[in-house]
Amino acid sequence: MKYPATLLFMFCAASLSAETLHVATPASSLVLDATPGQKLSLVHYGTPVSDADIAGLGSGLDTYPAYGINPEREAALSITHADGSMSTDLVVKSTAKSTDADGAEILTVTLADTFYPVEVDVNYRTYPGENIIETWSEIRNNEKGAITLSRFMSASLPVRMGDVWLSSLYGSWANEAKVEERPLTHGVTMIKNKDGVRNSHTAHAEVMLSLDGKPRENTGRVIGAALEYPGNYKIMIDTDDSDYHRLFAGINEENSAYTLKKGESFATPPLALTYSNEGLSGASRNFHRWGRKHRLHAGDTPRKILLNSWEGVYFDIDEPTMDGMMADIAYMGGELFVMDDGWFGVKYPRATDNAALGDWTVDTRKLPNGINSLLDAAERHGVKFGIWIEPEMTNTVSELYDKHPEYVIKAPNRKPTTGRGGTQLVLDMANPKVQDLVFEVVDTLMRKYPRIDYIKWDANAPIMDHGSQYLTADRQSHLYIDFHRGLIKTLERIREAHPDVTIQACASGGGRANWGILPWFDEFWTSDNNDALQRIYMQWGTSYFFPAIAMASHISAAPNHQTFRSIPVKFRADVAMSGRLGLELQPKNMTEEERDICRRAIADYKNVRHIVQFGDIYRLLSPYDGKGAASLMYITPEKDDAVFFWWKTETFMNQQLPRIPMAGLDPDATYIVTELNRIDNEPLPFEGKAFSGRFLMDRGLDMPLTHKVDYHKNTDYSSRVLRLTRQ
Ligand code: DGJ
């Protein structure tokens, strides 16, 4: 996935005033007025502009407003100075340019208070060839005493009013990433999270703004914004009686006032901005390409097809069962087996969810020959082996808690509030000893069992009490932020020591789908709800910001364990194949025919994995539009190979479903159509036929309402996966 290494970031040329800064990507421009002694103002963000265009633009709006002067306006930053003053007045001091290790260009505009020795760097980072501009701030305290930050947004972005619509993702356990769309009206629209740990439950830290009315997938101007932070966040859009909506995004400051001693600084997490005039899908493609290349851990490495044991056996782990599951996934063509929860705990065995987190020693009652014997079995079966841990957590029933009750998050003078199983507690990642402990959990596992190929890193509790036993009394409000700083420090150490192990971020299902955590993780668990029909909706929303390579998507049992819906395995496979394909069931309980369908789906997925995992997404028909079907496709950047997915989302007699024009193909190329995962007794009329890209995009192909199968095999489900290969 290589892009031309042109650096489009630039300081503006001679025709423009020295104070005008132009941050450019191949398909967007951000223009700033950084006149020394004046406010830093944003003159333009959106379509690419020329020097001549810039020369004709008017003045902009303060883009990093601080609290204190005109305090009726929302601010990005609020400081209580060492002398108690709450007034901050920032003006441009200087501008600098640098390049980072990733080849990215950083423009830094340093703002200084007109009286107090406080400085704020406002940064803009661009990557060669990518349509993303990251922006964040860094606040430095050079005052004689400590200052307190009570708001510290990463950025604020003025967006011209018009018919602007907001799309965001909402939903908690088993209902993650539901798309919500609404026009922006007067007042404040707030999207936030205060869970402390699982920040993509209940809302997501990413939004899309469609500038031309109701959001459309492949047309219209869109600004996308994704906050790269795994903790509590706030995205706020303030619409007053001016011409602009003002978007603010950053760490949620509630109960998190942060004190900076003299000489200390505070860096906010980056906000990744993208602009596209190709609708929501265009903005998604920008996030995906940049994310795979610059954020996602090992974003250029194909992901393996796996079987996870959770919904197959839950806590009922034993050696023969694990061996059988490994044999089964190997038989079906899979490449990896993951033993989920239930394998550990010596003094307190992990028989259910109420014990042993923190005691990461194998339970030899269940696995008498230990992990090595499982690793040997995996080798024999020709698959890799993965394991589940939840290292940031413990239970009151655990050897870890017996030894180190001071490691957990709890309020002074109170018993800790417990979560899952009535006993779960969160470890205090702000504490360096806990950071060491969490590092050692992974390090010991990997050193003892270097053949472990994959770790599922779970996190199943929010921060349930405000209280750090490590932080001093005057630093208690640092808890949420220092928890995540500690976590990231630990993840950095883990990745330095173990760069090759694949790690999945799971948090009660899809609680950790965010760009703040993915630099250390290879993928995230999308949801504990594997129901294929609901997954179409969840994966649709997830794909707004995250690429398929990171979106774990499993074929699970029927009836489904969450919705109790019974969906034929063909449909389940067709949905799972649009993400990182896996299985999560007990293969022993499948019929021979179901196993065969999975075996063929895995074989087909291997042939198109590079398209799904590294291709460009074009979402075509949204399930949210209620048209009875949903459809999307992936295509290679060279436009020579594509996979088209079509799923019927409801069934009525004499249904008239729309024909779906495709997108993203080369209009002048010819593509041969091949159906994957075919179950029909006879091929589709267009099987093996050649069509021009233009025809496929202007007209599309008709999907039959049902499958042509033996009468007793008919169901109310229907789906198609087509491969389109350039002739
Ligand atoms: C919650 C996760 O979301 C599940 O997938 C599973 O790993 C369980 N935890 C195990 O306890």
Side-chain angles (χ1 to χ4, degrees), residues 93-159:
K93 180 182 169 194
S94 59
T95 303
K97 201 167 93 166
S98 57
T99 306
D100 75 7
D102 209 8
E105 294 267 331
I106 302 171
L107 166 69
T108 302
V109 183
T110 300
L111 313 179
D113 188 272
T114 50
F115 177 78
Y116 292 98
V118 164
E119 287 185 350
V120 178
D121 286 344
V122 179
N123 300 292
Y124 300 89
R125 178 161 52 204
T126 51
Y127 297 83
E130 305 295 342
N131 280 311
I132 294 284
I133 299 174
E134 290 177 295
T135 173
W136 72 101
S137 63
E138 186 161 346
I139 302 129
R140 278 189 298 280
N141 174 23
N142 297 321
E143 297 189 18
K144 288 206 177 82
I147 65 171
T148 302
L149 311 179
S150 51
R151 182 173 282 180
F152 26 80
M153 289 289 173
S154 294
S156 108
L157 183 78
V159 177

Side-chain angles (χ1 to χ4, degrees), residues 173 176 201 308 310-311 314-315 340-342 350 353 357 388-390 420 456 458-460 504 506-511 525 527-528 530 584:
W173 183 80
E176 289 90 340
H201 284 163
N308 176 295
W310 180 241
E311 288 200 6
Y314 293 101
F315 294 98
D340 208 293
D341 203 344
R350 179 80 168 167
D353 60 4
L357 294 177
W388 179 97
I389 51 174
E390 193 175 356
R420 189 182 188 201
K456 175 170 177 176
D458 211 340
N460 290 302
Q504 180 187 70
C506 174
S508 310
W525 184 220
S527 175
D528 275 346
N530 290 311
E584 184 154 340

Side-chain angles (χ1 to χ4, degrees), residues 283-523:
S284 299
R285 289 191 289 279
N286 292 345
F287 280 125
H288 294 183
R289 283 190 210 128
W290 156 83
R292 279 192 303 255
K293 200 158 174 210
H294 298 284
R295 290 297 290 176
L296 183 66
H297 186 262
D300 57 357
T301 309
R303 303 301 193 250
K304 297 187 183 79
I305 300 159
L306 62 85
L307 170 67
N308 176 295
S309 67
W310 180 241
E311 288 200 6
V313 296
Y314 293 101
F315 294 98
D316 295 335
I317 301 276
D318 62 48
E319 202 172 307
T321 308
M322 297 297 95
D323 188 74
M325 290 179 105
M326 286 190 253
D328 286 333
I329 187 62
Y331 163 79
M332 287 188 272
E335 298 152 329
L336 168 69
F337 172 72
V338 182
M339 177 171 66
D340 208 293
D341 203 344
W343 61 270
F344 52 93
V346 175
K347 183 168 172 197
Y348 305 106
R350 179 80 168 167
T352 175
D353 60 4
N354 64 3
L357 294 177
D359 304 347
W360 304 109
T361 308
V362 69
D363 179 355
T364 45
R365 281 153 295 206
K366 287 181 178 173
L367 300 169
N369 302 305
I371 303 291
N372 270 325
S373 162
L374 296 176
L375 286 160
D376 290 343
E379 217 162 272
R380 262 197 324 274
H381 293 301
V383 292
K384 298 283 182 191
F385 184 82
I387 201 162
W388 179 97
I389 51 174
E390 193 175 356
E392 299 147 272
M393 304 284 162
T394 189
N395 295 103
T396 52
V397 185
S398 72
E399 292 187 66
L400 175 63
Y401 187 64
D402 286 349
K403 268 190 243 138
H404 291 294
E406 77 282 10
Y407 281 1
V408 305
I409 287 181
K410 77 177 269 304
N413 313 313
R414 297 187 198 286
K415 272 175 49 184
T417 304
T418 50
R420 189 182 188 201
T423 57
Q424 185 153 337
L425 297 170
V426 183
L427 296 175
D428 185 357
M429 291 301 297
N431 183 341
K433 287 198 179 133
V434 175
Q435 294 164 21
D436 288 345
L437 177 96
V438 172
F439 170 76
E440 276 152 26
V441 170
V442 179
D443 193 55
T444 308
L445 211 54
M446 292 309 298
R447 282 183 200 284
K448 240 170 133 179
Y449 312 112
R451 286 179 291 170
I452 288 179
D453 186 71
Y454 179 106
I455 288 174
K456 175 170 177 176
W457 177 312
D458 211 340
N460 290 302
I463 288 184
M464 294 166 287
D465 290 298
H466 196 127
S468 165
Q469 301 187 75
Y470 168 75
L471 293 169
T472 52
D474 59 340
R475 293 283 189 278
Q476 287 295 310
S477 61
H478 292 197
L479 170 68
Y480 291 111
I481 293 172
D482 285 359
F483 179 94
H484 283 280
R485 286 188 173 172
L487 173 64
I488 287 171
K489 237 190 198 167
T490 311
L491 290 168
E492 270 165 2
R493 276 175 77 190
I494 289 171
R495 274 313 187 186
E496 208 167 299
H498 307 288
D500 297 331
V501 60
T502 301
I503 313 184
Q504 180 187 70
C506 174
S508 310
R512 269 192 173 156
N514 68 74
W515 282 118
I517 203 96
L518 288 174
W520 302 280
F521 289 87
D522 302 77
E523 61 175 34

